[in-house]
Amino acid sequence: MRLHMMTWLEVERHLGRETGIIIPIGSTEQHGPIGLIGTDAICPEVIADLAADERGHLVGPTISVGMAQHHLAFPGSVALRPTTLIAVICDYVNSLARNGFDRFYFLNGHGGNIATIGAAFSQIHAERSFARGTNQPPVRCKLANWFGFPEVREVATELYADRDGRHATASEVAVTQYACPDFIKQAPMDPAPPAPRAFQDAEDYRALFPDGRIEADSFLARPEHGERLARVSAACVAADFAAFLDQD
Ligand code: NI
């Protein structure tokens, strides 16, 4: 159930039985010749919906712009500074916590966000630790990457072996093809070569990876693969979120 589609009265009622929320978090950045700019936000969003709908969990508004400075040499990419994303995550959590939410499950679609999401959690806990004695309710935050569950990796390996890659992966492109069948793109593409070295800034990235992909054969993606990956990931998210709600 999307928070956007509820009234405040429904949210208040929901809080009477469950105080956790899943928040999809992604990025807005180039994903190679056939990957959608919104790939990293679309994937966790569709998987969060699948995981939540069966059990009546809540899905909060997607944070769809993240850590993408290294993609800025490609048109359409939008990046936040790490400090901006930390502030956004803190404000989401503090706004929702004010009225009773206390478990925040961030379902992430972008590897580049991981360090900054961790820093945001540290900031949230630091603010509460410093404010001890002011009756701020405790909150718990958790990060999960939709692509990181062993069950999802297993399916990706079965489908693509070692050609899934590191950016504009066949898996993530497949999930968007399943989620957005009207926006499946085609473009000529060779198999991606091995990455020569780690990238630095946006210009360096584009020089190293001219079509935007890193070691990823995105052209192997199919919508039916995406459905399978999304459903396997959603089952993992549903179990992980339930355990998160139950924990102390
Ligand atoms: Ni991505």
Side-chain angles (χ1 to χ4, degrees):
M1 206 169 8
R2 293 250 182 127
L3 186 75
H4 274 173
M5 301 303 168
M6 298 169 75
T7 67
W8 72 265
L9 291 160
E10 289 173 318
V11 176
E12 196 163 74
R13 258 198 309 276
H14 183 88
L15 279 166
R17 67 173 182 83
E18 191 170 293
T19 52
I21 187 164
I22 302 173
I23 299 175
I25 180 166
S27 185
T28 297
E29 61 185 46
Q30 69 80 18
H31 269 77
I34 62 165
L36 306 181
I37 299 275
T39 296
D40 289 352
I42 293 165
C43 294
E45 197 168 68
V46 67
I47 291 164
D49 283 343
L50 286 171
D53 280 352
E54 245 171 61
R55 305 179 196 205
H57 299 313
L58 263 193
V59 178
T62 303
I63 301 175
S64 53
V65 182
M67 296 296 95
Q69 64 77 15
H70 49 290
H71 295 294
L72 285 177
F74 294 87
S77 301
V78 180
L80 301 180
R81 290 177 171 83
T83 47
T84 312
L85 183 59
I86 291 168
V88 168
I89 293 171
C90 291
D91 288 355
Y92 261 57
V93 167
N94 289 329
S95 301
L96 292 163
R98 188 185 183 286
N99 290 309
F101 287 95
D102 64 358
R103 307 273 156 147
F104 299 89
Y105 188 94
F106 286 83
L107 184 61
N108 179 42
H110 176 50
N113 284 344
I114 293 171
T116 307
I117 294 171
F121 292 174
S122 297
Q123 178 76 21
I124 289 160
H125 293 311
E127 284 169 7
R128 274 156 205 277
S129 298
F130 286 128
R132 191 176 174 198
T134 57
N135 289 326
Q136 282 209 61
V139 299
R140 301 275 182 275
C141 298
K142 179 164 184 169
L143 163 67
N145 302 304
W146 76 262
F147 48 83
F149 295 101
E151 294 87 339
V152 178
R153 297 308 328 144
E154 211 171 282
V155 175
T157 303
E158 182 198 315
L159 292 169
Y160 310 120
D162 61 349
R163 302 312 306 156
D164 198 24
R166 290 165 48 205
H167 181 69
T169 65
S171 310
E172 60 183 346
V173 171
V175 172
T176 65
Q177 290 178 340
Y178 158 62
C180 313
D182 294 340
F183 296 90
I184 296 175
K185 317 280 181 172
Q186 308 288 346
M189 225 183 302
D190 291 324
R197 60 170 169 79
F199 57 83
Q200 301 293 324
D201 63 6
E203 272 61 42
D204 187 43
Y205 183 108
R206 185 154 180 171
L208 287 177
F209 311 106
D211 78 0
R213 297 174 293 149
I214 305 181
E215 297 180 347
D217 287 352
S218 324
F219 54 82
L220 299 173
R222 300 289 179 272
E224 57 272 24
H225 300 164
E227 176 167 12
R228 195 171 154 207
L229 288 158
R231 289 192 184 282
V232 169
S233 184
C236 296
V237 169
D240 198 35
F241 184 62
F244 179 55
L245 292 178
D246 282 346
Q247 120 196 352
D248 275 351

